Amino acid sequence: MAIEDTPEEWEVTATAVPFRGNKTSVRTDDVVMPDGSVARRDYQVHPGSVAVLALDDEDRVVVLRQYRHPVRHKLWEIPAGLLDIPGENPLHAAQRELYEEAHVKAEDWRVLTDVYTTPGGCDEAVRIFLARDLSVAEGERYAVSEEEADMELARVPLQDLVRGALAGELHNNCLVVGALAVAAARAGAGLNALRPAGAPWPARPFEA
């Protein structure tokens, strides 16, 4: 048996959208179960996201610390953001987020991994990129506001992030998955064997 996720769609007999927000909404579907019964499922509809694990020549990762109100924590994270435009090229979005949040650019980009963050209650899909060969971006720094106005930036050794993730000290999904994925890739075929930055992404199709 191949250990690979496969697309499948069960019959929906009714659907409604009881809440619409600025970027996301909540959908309620009545879904036919395998035994013929119908179960109601509520979930968040999300445009998708990108995240960037930016690794410098000293094996440090660009991270930021930001307040996240739903969990009442300041979390260490990697640069990330929404796919605001339907069909937007995720690489372009990732390059934008790295510039806006860290004022950094990268010459080498690869797909690190693709994940569904909380598939039991949200359809958010995230593509996490590995960015290397870093340098300071040209031009003015991007103007920040709201939670981002209090954001802290740092460069932390990759091994410290792996240790913190396994110790239960770091909790941001993309940071934890990204750090562990880099460690796993190095232990396997190596970072240069990762998928190219423009690899297909069926969860959020895009134009090259």
Side-chain angles (χ1 to χ4, degrees):
M1 181 179 66
I3 305 300
E4 181 179 353
D5 296 335
T6 55
E8 183 168 320
E9 188 167 351
W10 292 0
E11 181 184 357
V12 175
T13 60
T15 188
V17 183
F19 171 79
R20 292 185 187 275
N22 185 32
K23 298 293 184 181
T24 67
S25 60
V26 173
R27 179 175 295 163
T28 299
D29 288 343
D30 291 343
V31 186
V32 179
M33 298 290 110
D35 63 0
S37 64
V38 176
R40 181 156 291 176
R41 295 290 179 260
D42 303 316
Y43 59 99
Q44 182 185 20
V45 178
H46 194 285
S49 307
V50 291
V52 185
L53 192 139
L55 189 65
D56 70 14
D57 293 339
E58 297 178 42
D59 213 39
R60 301 176 303 174
V61 177
V62 176
V63 293
L64 51 95
R65 188 168 180 247
Q66 187 172 347
Y67 176 66
R68 293 301 189 183
H69 185 70
V71 295
R72 272 55 166 190
H73 269 70
K74 270 194 170 182
L75 300 180
W76 285 104
E77 306 180 353
I78 56 177
L82 298 175
L83 290 168
D84 295 311
I85 304 168
E88 182 178 17
N89 187 305
L91 174 60
H92 299 165
Q95 291 169 332
R96 179 187 68 235
E97 293 300 331
L98 185 60
Y99 163 73
E100 291 182 356
E101 295 193 347
H103 201 63
V104 167
K105 65 179 181 179
E107 298 302 322
D108 186 277
W109 290 83
R110 297 173 190 273
V111 175
L112 187 53
T113 190
D114 300 323
V115 296
Y116 290 116
T117 54
T118 49
C122 179
D123 71 352
E124 181 183 14
V126 180
R127 168 157 282 189
I128 304 176
F129 288 91
L130 173 66
R132 293 181 293 174
D133 193 5
L134 309 183
S135 60
V136 177
E138 297 91 356
E140 296 291 327
R141 284 188 172 272
Y142 183 77
V144 296
S145 61
E146 299 177 345
E147 290 93 343
E148 292 183 351
D150 188 49
M151 195 165 60
E152 305 169 46
L153 283 170
R155 294 197 182 196
V156 176
L158 175 66
Q159 63 182 9
D160 290 353
L161 298 182
V162 172
R163 183 203 61 77
L166 297 178
E169 298 167 358
L170 300 171
H171 305 88
N172 174 263
N173 184 293
C174 292
L175 182 148
V176 170
V177 170
L180 296 179
V182 168
R186 279 180 167 169
L191 299 182
N192 289 333
L194 292 168
R195 286 174 291 162
W201 190 16
R204 293 294 185 273
F206 63 93
E207 295 183 6

